[in-house]
Amino acid sequence: MVFSLRVVAVWSVAWLSLVLPPGAFAQDVFAFESSVPALAEPWHFDAPSGVAVSDGGLVFVADTGRDRIRVFGASGMLVAQWGGEGPLAGEFQSPSAVAWSRAGLDAPSRVYVADTGNNRVQVFDPDGEFRGQWGSAGQGQGQFDSPRGIAVDNTGRVYVADTGNDRIQVFDSDGNFVRAWGTSGNGDEMLDRPAGISVRDADNAIFVADSGNNRIQQFSPDGVLVRSNFGAVTGPAYNGPMSVSAGAAGEIFVGDTGNDRVVALSAEGVLIA
């Protein structure tokens, strides 16, 4: 079977993981089909680095260099955008990641943005209406240093890769601090500039692109280390991986930035492609 894939952000593999059918394994062929040329406004991006997809197929892109979030339909047509450079509510400074939270019994759908340069998380309705924010620059609980990754589990908890502080912070859906884990270093449970983060729906396993340590670490939702080097690959080792995403069937996709490739792993960490 041959799959045609479309990736809309250089450092993010979120959409890639979602368009792959469940159960893609080594016998399948991942073939290049085409690329989209640079288009005139309002389509042009500037260093996009985060992607999230809603349950209805809307694609949210963190257009980092243009300080905004752009929303596309499944066909690629632009349907909305919001933001602009600045420190005010609804404005951004180099947003690096975006996460979709599906509606629950007591909570509507939300879009969470890692507003990297402003050292905060901002929350929006799917149509871009501002709903809240939390965070400031620093090292305390609920403070950040250039957060570059964000993910939401199926209970509504929000996981933030606090990149400059070498830790993961966890919050409830309203931004109340729950816990944090990680210290600077290269040992087990240590982190060096964690960037991408993803939650696997089936078991709420947490996967972190530990970019400075050239590895993917797997944790339980409580921050307990499961594997310090998930899916160690044959051939070239990871080189500054900046993103990681869990697929619908539990597969894990790694944006291996320094090696200019995407690594596909089974749920058990076995190399697929």
Side-chain angles (χ1 to χ4, degrees), residues 90-104:
E91 296 180 334
F92 302 110
Q93 185 67 50
S94 301
S96 293
V98 58
W100 168 263
S101 175
R102 63 176 55 94

Side-chain angles (χ1 to χ4, degrees), residues 69 89 99 117 171:
I69 302 299
F171 304 87

Side-chain angles (χ1 to χ4, degrees), residues 234-258:
T234 57
Y238 292 127
N239 184 2
M242 295 293 291
S243 61
V244 61
S245 184
E251 306 99 329
I252 302 299
F253 300 89
V254 180
D256 189 9
T257 308

Side-chain angles (χ1 to χ4, degrees), residues 13-22 51-54 58 201 245-248 253:
V13 292
W15 195 12
L16 174 66
S17 74
L18 287 167
V19 298
L20 283 175
V51 180
V53 182
S54 75
L58 291 176
D201 283 344
S245 184
F253 300 89

Side-chain angles (χ1 to χ4, degrees), residues 180-200:
W181 72 80
T183 57
S184 300
N186 58 13
D188 290 351
E189 301 179 334
M190 293 181 172
L191 298 166
D192 185 355
R193 300 198 64 77
I197 186 167
S198 185
V199 182
R200 187 163 59 193

Side-chain angles (χ1 to χ4, degrees), residues 9 16 71 77 82 109 127 140 169 197 207 232 263 268:
L16 174 66
V71 188
M77 294 295 293
W82 65 82
S109 297
D127 60 3
Q169 293 200 67
I197 186 167
F207 296 87
V263 176
E268 295 75 31

Side-chain angles (χ1 to χ4, degrees), residues 76-116:
M77 294 295 293
L78 181 69
V79 297
Q81 61 183 354
W82 65 82
E85 183 179 6
L88 302 178
E91 296 180 334
F92 302 110
Q93 185 67 50
S94 301
S96 293
V98 58
W100 168 263
S101 175
R102 63 176 55 94
L105 294 177
D106 301 314
S109 297
R110 290 285 186 258
V111 178
Y112 294 85
V113 180
D115 187 7
T116 306

